[in-house]
């Protein structure tokens, strides 16, 4: 009788265990099904977004292992590690239809806040449609460790102009052209162009800026050549500007007029001079 009771009790215990195990497995399966699929490493041409404001990353507490691996070690004081982050749409996120993941060296380290994701996502979608990957300056912060006194978590801050506050591209180009005329020499003008290109998002705007820069370079070269004394010196200056223009990243159809201007100036210098009356 006692044996039968024992066996009956064991069967009940086993039945309860199987039931609880089944419930636990079901919860795990449900959690796995609802968890967001991690974005893959971004593929495409890296295009840097303009700097200018601190944008906080959220959810880094869930990715401390990835951040610690990126930082390589913990130090007594909080760290500030400059790096580059990639902003990627997370199309399969079940919790936020606008989710934008933040990746560093292919590792997921957090997300943009819901409000920032709404603002950034249209820009990121446009870039991805062009085969571009949105990249921006980032800093890994925190991660201090003081032994028994504890340790701090890592965090991520982005340095990027918020799309809602970014200046219009026409304004950027206008300021750049003013800077081109005020710059001293080709090296100074190239720095102006490079800074402006980093702030422009569309290829059309970048092409327009490069075309404007070529025009400024041509006019500057012609003005400098006019101030030289000998035809040989003038020719060298114009030829130098012509070589630089041809090597620039301006599409042929947009730089054709500038090239024609410089070639016409060279032909004019090489044309035989008519003898002056009485010579």
């Amino acid at each position: 009788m006692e044996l039968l009771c024992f066996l009956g009790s064991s069967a009940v215990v086993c039945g309860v265990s199987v039931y609880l195990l089944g419930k636990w497995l079901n919860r795990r399966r449900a959690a796995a099904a609802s968890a967001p699929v991690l974005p893959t490493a971004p593929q495409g041409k890296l295009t840097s977004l303009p700097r200018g404001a601190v944008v906080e990353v959220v959810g880094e507490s869930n990715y401390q292992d990835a951040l610690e691996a990126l930082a390589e070690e913990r130090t007594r004081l909080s760290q500030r590690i400059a790096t580059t982050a990639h902003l990627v749409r997370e199309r399969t996120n079940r919790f936020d239809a606008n989710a934008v993941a933040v990746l560093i060296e292919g590792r997921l380290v957090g997300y943009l806040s819901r409000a920032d994701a709404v603002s950034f996502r249209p820009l990121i979608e446009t870039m991805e449609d062009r085969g571009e990957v949105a990249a921006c300056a980032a800093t890994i912060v925190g991660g201090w460790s003081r032994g028994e006194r504890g340790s701090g978590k890592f965090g991520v801050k982005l340095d990027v102009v918020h799309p809602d506050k970014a200046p219009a591209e026409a304004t950027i180009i206008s300021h750049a052209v003013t800077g081109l005329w005020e710059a001293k020499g080709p090296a100074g003008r190239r720095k102006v162009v490079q800074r402006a290109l980093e702030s422009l998002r569309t290829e059309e705007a970048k092409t327009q800026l490069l075309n404007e820069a070529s025009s400024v370079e041509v006019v500057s070269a012609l003005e400098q050549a006019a101030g030289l004394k000998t035809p040989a010196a003038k020719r060298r200056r114009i030829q130098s500007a012509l070589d630089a223009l041809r090597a620039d990243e301006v599409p042929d159809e947009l730089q054709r007029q500038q090239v024609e201007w410089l070639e016409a100036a060279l032909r004019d210098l090489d044309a035989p001079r008519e003898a002056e009356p009485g010579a």
Side-chain angles (χ1 to χ4, degrees):
M1 184 68 177
E2 291 179 356
L3 178 60
L4 291 175
C5 290
F6 173 76
L7 291 174
S9 299
S10 298
V12 171
V13 171
C14 290
V16 171
S17 299
V18 171
Y19 171 74
L20 292 176
L21 178 60
K23 289 193 67 174
W24 180 78
L25 289 173
N26 287 336
R27 285 198 300 269
R28 290 296 300 271
R29 292 191 189 102
S34 62
V37 178
L38 300 185
T40 58
Q43 301 292 327
K45 174 187 175 184
L46 293 181
T47 300
S48 297
L49 300 178
R51 295 173 178 248
V54 176
V55 174
E56 300 286 348
V57 175
V58 301
E60 307 104 303
S61 60
N62 298 315
Y63 307 102
Q64 291 298 297
D65 290 344
L67 287 167
E68 186 166 355
L70 290 166
E72 295 185 354
E73 63 178 353
R74 289 181 177 267
T75 57
R76 186 174 182 278
L77 300 177
S78 293
Q79 300 193 58
R80 293 188 63 84
I81 303 172
T83 184
T84 299
H86 302 143
L87 307 182
V88 182
R89 291 186 294 170
E90 194 175 81
R91 299 177 177 85
T92 57
N93 192 299
R94 295 173 179 268
F95 306 102
D96 184 1
N98 295 309
V100 174
V102 179
L103 283 76
I104 297 178
E105 295 183 12
R107 301 171 187 261
L108 178 62
V109 297
Y111 292 84
L112 297 185
S113 69
R114 286 180 178 269
D116 286 336
V118 170
S119 298
F120 275 89
R121 182 138 180 165
L123 170 61
I124 295 172
E125 288 178 344
T126 300
M127 294 176 67
E128 289 182 356
D129 290 343
R130 295 198 302 256
E132 300 176 356
V133 177
C136 65
T139 305
I140 299 174
V141 299
W144 52 268
S145 178
R146 296 169 191 166
E148 295 180 355
R149 296 174 61 186
S151 60
K153 291 183 177 180
F154 288 99
V156 180
K157 297 181 183 294
L158 307 180
D159 182 1
V160 57
V161 173
H162 201 282
D164 295 341
K165 300 177 181 178
E169 293 190 321
T171 302
I172 296 174
I173 294 173
S174 176
H175 290 169
V177 171
T178 300
L180 286 169
W181 286 113
E182 295 175 349
K184 295 181 179 179
R189 287 190 287 272
R190 286 189 175 274
K191 289 182 179 179
V192 172
V193 171
Q194 187 58 45
R195 285 197 299 268
L197 285 175
E198 292 174 355
S199 300
L200 296 172
R201 298 190 298 273
T202 65
E203 291 301 321
E204 293 81 4
K206 292 178 182 180
T207 297
Q208 182 181 350
L209 172 63
L210 290 171
N211 190 35
E212 294 283 358
S214 296
S215 299
V216 172
E217 200 67 39
V218 167
V219 172
S220 176
L222 293 177
E223 288 180 346
Q224 291 179 17
L228 298 175
K229 294 182 178 180
T230 66
K234 293 179 180 182
R235 194 180 199 292
R236 284 195 299 270
R237 179 65 190 93
I238 296 174
Q239 185 63 56
S240 176
L242 183 58
D243 293 341
L245 181 61
R246 285 172 170 162
D248 230 333
E249 297 179 357
V250 182
D252 291 342
E253 64 273 12
L254 294 177
Q255 70 174 343
R256 186 178 299 114
Q257 183 62 66
Q258 284 76 33
V259 171
E260 289 178 357
W261 287 340
L262 291 175
E263 290 178 340
L266 286 176
R267 287 195 298 271
D268 185 60
L269 284 174
D270 294 336
R273 301 290 179 180
E274 294 183 3
E276 296 182 1

